[in-house]
Amino acid sequence: MTSWVVVDHVSKAYNGKKAVDDLSFHIDRGEIFALLGPNGAGKSTLIRMMTGLIQPDAGQIRMNGERVLPFKKEVKRYFSFLPETMSLYPNLTAGETLHFFSRLQRISRNRCDEVLDVVGLLEVKDKKIGGFSKGMRQRLGLAVALLDKAPLLILDEPTSGLDPYWASRFKEIIRRKKREGTSVFFASHDLYEVESLADRIAILNEGKLYYLGTVDDLKSKHPTEIRIQVRFEIPQDPDGLARELGVATFRRGDWIQLICRRDDKVRILRSLEKGGRKLADLHIHETTLEEIYRAISGGTPSPEMDKL
Ligand SMILES: Nc1ncnc2c1ncn2[C@@H]1O[C@H](COP(=O)(O)OP(=O)(O)OP(=O)(O)O)[C@@H](O)[C@H]1O
């Protein structure tokens, strides 16, 4: 894969305080890349620089080898952008809104109905958007971003305001864009969505990059334990099991819960049916991105973050 976007030692300060501090990463073609971080971490500042709305104080961002700068209109053809809040005219209908943006971008009118259909708004295309719900306005914003088949989609909190059905449809839309070869860069606070969608993630904190890589690598590097819950055909003694396997165990009614390291999982599972024991049922609770994220952003960040 080749890099479509290169963020190269980029910094931006407001009133002497760095909002983005020496960030470097790249986005490959056809890659889904998610940006995570607590409020004020610098996500929107980074997105504003990537979309050429503001200029970095230091470093540069390149798309397809060309430098992104506020006055440089040519690079705008490389991406479509869904801002966190989109200004839409309440007196226009959904159809008129799409036609407006399609004329601006010199895109065929037929494409408007196509994208309205994708976001489930074709049936209400003649309704004024002043009467739309928050979720419908968000879907309309997504339709505007999808109008142009640009090679990169940049989305700032794309599913905020979407109900679970449309949050799930959004994921299908993004996966389809990936299959078509589009790169997708999105900021989100929805860790479940990020975990199920992103090829790679970047976690920002106070403008700095705390983690860059896959969710799986983050999980394997992070020392969080997993829980295995088992029920045997003949009830077993949890303390005996703890001594035999060298893990912590707890009784939960008919079940025994074992806490072990992720890399110890296979050894534990192989041992469970030793000595004539027979499993009746089993659940494995793997650490989620949400649990890791809480662990690294909840307490004093540095010691945990340093291990990443
Ligand atoms: N226009 C501005 N003027 C002054 N300070 C700003 C401006 N924009 C952002 N900041 C500051 O820069 C830092 C990063 O803000 P930014 O909006 O990029 O964070 P964020 O990660 O997008 O937060 P959120 O999750 O709340 O949207 C914050 O300390 C914020 O107060």
Side-chain angles (χ1 to χ4, degrees):
M1 275 209 255
T2 47
S3 295
W4 180 250
V5 181
V6 177
V7 175
D8 188 8
H9 295 285
V10 164
S11 296
K12 178 80 190 174
Y14 292 108
N15 310 318
K17 186 174 174 289
K18 283 203 171 160
V20 166
D21 191 359
D22 196 23
L23 279 192
S24 293
F25 64 93
H26 65 271
I27 305 169
D28 289 326
R29 278 178 201 267
E31 181 176 37
I32 303 180
F33 192 109
L35 185 63
L36 289 169
N39 293 138
K43 303 181 296 295
S44 296
T45 304
L46 173 62
I47 286 179
R48 284 201 289 271
M49 290 189 281
M50 287 175 72
T51 50
L53 292 172
I54 55 171
Q55 194 167 344
D57 297 334
Q60 53 175 260
I61 297 171
R62 293 186 299 277
M63 279 185 198
N64 198 24
E66 287 183 52
R67 195 165 170 188
V68 180
L69 286 166
F71 50 83
K72 207 167 157 186
K73 291 212 175 74
E74 308 86 73
V75 286
K76 300 226 159 111
R77 68 179 187 272
Y78 294 138
F79 66 88
S80 292
F81 176 42
L82 172 67
E84 192 177 349
T85 42
M86 193 155 179
S87 309
L88 298 165
Y89 299 104
N91 284 329
L92 291 186
T93 65
E96 287 164 348
T97 304
L98 263 287
H99 290 158
F100 170 76
F101 283 102
S102 70
R103 272 202 307 275
L104 274 184
Q105 296 173 67
R106 298 199 178 90
I107 293 166
S108 142
R109 226 180 142 95
N110 301 336
R111 178 90 184 126
C112 298
D113 281 3
E114 268 173 43
V115 289
L116 281 171
D117 195 25
V118 169
V119 301
L121 293 175
L122 191 56
E123 282 176 13
V124 293
K125 76 169 192 173
D126 296 323
K127 294 227 161 35
K128 288 194 173 169
I129 57 179
F132 276 17
S133 68
K134 189 173 178 226
M136 287 164 87
R137 280 201 295 275
Q138 187 71 0
R139 276 149 56 197
L140 187 61
L142 184 60
V144 173
L146 293 173
L147 256 183
D148 179 13
K149 292 183 181 169
L152 169 69
L153 261 179
I154 301 178
L155 313 167
D156 197 354
E157 300 198 26
T159 51
S160 77
L162 295 189
D163 64 27
Y165 173 79
W166 275 103
S168 159
R169 287 295 305 270
F170 163 79
K171 281 192 258 183
E172 283 171 26
I173 294 168
I174 295 306
R175 288 197 187 103
R176 197 166 72 216
K177 295 303 288 181
K178 177 187 164 74
R179 283 197 298 277
E180 290 168 2
T182 307
S183 309
V184 182
F185 179 82
F186 72 105
S188 178
H189 288 293
D190 183 334
L191 299 169
Y192 175 70
E193 171 184 286
V194 167
E195 182 162 12
S196 59
L197 204 52
D199 296 313
R200 283 192 304 148
I201 62 170
I203 302 179
L204 288 192
N205 197 37
E206 295 180 356
K208 284 191 164 61
L209 201 54
Y210 261 127
Y211 178 75
L212 176 67
T214 65
V215 173
D216 273 349
D217 279 350
L218 177 64
K219 282 181 176 177
S220 61
K221 278 178 196 150
H222 200 269
T224 332
E225 290 147 329
I226 63 163
R227 297 195 295 276
I228 303 175
Q229 205 144 329
V230 289
R231 193 161 56 78
F232 292 99
E233 286 187 354
I234 299 168
Q236 302 289 317
D237 169 29
D239 295 334
L241 211 56
R243 278 194 299 277
E244 182 188 325
L245 302 178
V247 294
T249 61
F250 303 91
R251 185 178 289 288
R252 298 258 183 276
D254 292 345
W255 294 79
I256 295 175
Q257 183 166 288
L258 301 96
I259 314 284
C260 71
R261 290 194 324 269
R262 200 173 190 239
D263 59 5
D264 209 14
K265 180 174 66 181
V266 175
R267 178 187 74 86
I268 301 290
L269 289 176
R270 284 197 180 120
S271 307
L272 285 171
E273 288 207 322
K274 277 190 180 155
R277 282 188 299 253
K278 278 217 174 322
L279 282 170
D281 206 349
L282 166 116
H283 296 297
I284 300 178
H285 178 83
E286 294 269 359
T287 315
T288 61
L289 176 60
E290 184 165 356
E291 285 164 330
I292 294 175
Y293 188 77
R294 265 209 312 266
I296 60 183
S297 59
T300 323
S302 322
E304 280 295 311
M305 291 291 201
D306 286 349
K307 290 180 195 157
L308 296 177

